Amino acid sequence: VTGSRMYALEYTYCLFYHNTVVLDNPASTSGTTAGFYGYGAGTEVRNNILDIRRAGSGTKYCVYFSSTATAASNNNNLYMAAPAGTNYIGWYVSGFSTLTAWQGANSGSWDQQSTNVDPLYVNPTGGNYKPTAVALDNIGTPLGVLDDILNLSRSLTTPDAGAYEFAVSPYDVGAEALITP
């Protein structure tokens, strides 16, 4: 999904698994932006990439939970790289600007195994949002989603977060800065 957000508004027991949400439109310069916004009871937000890079003075959130009703949020990549505005990794009662601070929200019940890493997409301008970042390889947890967006099999033990299942060569560790999208 690009240019929008996922909502779980007054819905209960919704499962948001393996999505890639990139909000990077430089022409979006005001208003509130959220990669995921929800408050439905039993909602789960797991194995997602929520990436906010859009410009402007608006307030931005990777995740926004207006209550503790969100049952689970974990194994996500919550990446905030917006150049302006008020930017938060998460919201619950107040805004949390770092992943570490967000992990302490709600008595530490959300995103303990999540990351905050630039996904280094293959070609975002061409619409290819497949990550290449070594630090994102295998960060997911098995949830019963067996195929990715290209209908390729996901790992049954260490799936990748986001829409794509991908592999990174162990020889590429530390070479992420050399990859050009």
Side-chain angles (χ1 to χ4, degrees), residues 18-178:
H18 290 286
N19 298 284
T20 298
V21 178
V22 180
L23 302 168
D24 61 355
N25 185 342
S28 295
T29 59
S30 64
T32 301
T33 298
F36 178 85
Y37 181 98
Y39 60 88
T43 297
E44 293 187 19
V45 182
R46 301 177 70 170
N47 292 359
N48 299 288
I49 294 174
L50 303 172
D51 180 344
I52 313 275
R53 300 168 188 252
R54 72 173 40 163
S57 60
T59 304
K60 301 162 197 80
Y61 310 93
C62 288
V63 290
Y64 186 106
F65 301 147
S66 61
S67 76
T68 58
T70 298
S73 182
N74 210 358
N75 301 93
N76 299 301
N77 185 53
L78 307 174
Y79 186 65
M80 177 62 69
T86 304
N87 305 319
Y88 299 110
I89 293 292
W91 171 272
Y92 169 67
V93 180
S94 66
F96 296 85
S97 59
T98 67
L99 179 61
T100 301
W102 172 243
Q103 289 169 327
N106 193 24
S107 301
S109 62
W110 293 317
D111 291 299
Q112 298 304 302
Q113 284 77 43
S114 292
T115 58
N116 177 17
V117 174
D118 185 343
L120 301 171
Y121 302 113
V122 170
N123 183 5
T125 57
N128 187 343
Y129 288 94
K130 183 176 183 177
T132 63
V134 172
L136 292 184
D137 197 19
N138 302 324
I139 70 162
T141 191
L143 298 169
V145 178
L146 303 179
D147 300 315
D148 75 354
I149 194 170
L150 300 175
N151 206 30
L152 299 174
S153 296
R154 287 198 178 271
S155 169
L156 298 177
T157 56
T158 55
D160 293 317
Y164 294 92
E165 187 71 13
F166 66 98
V168 178
S169 168
Y171 301 110
D172 290 339
V173 174
E176 292 171 343
L178 301 176

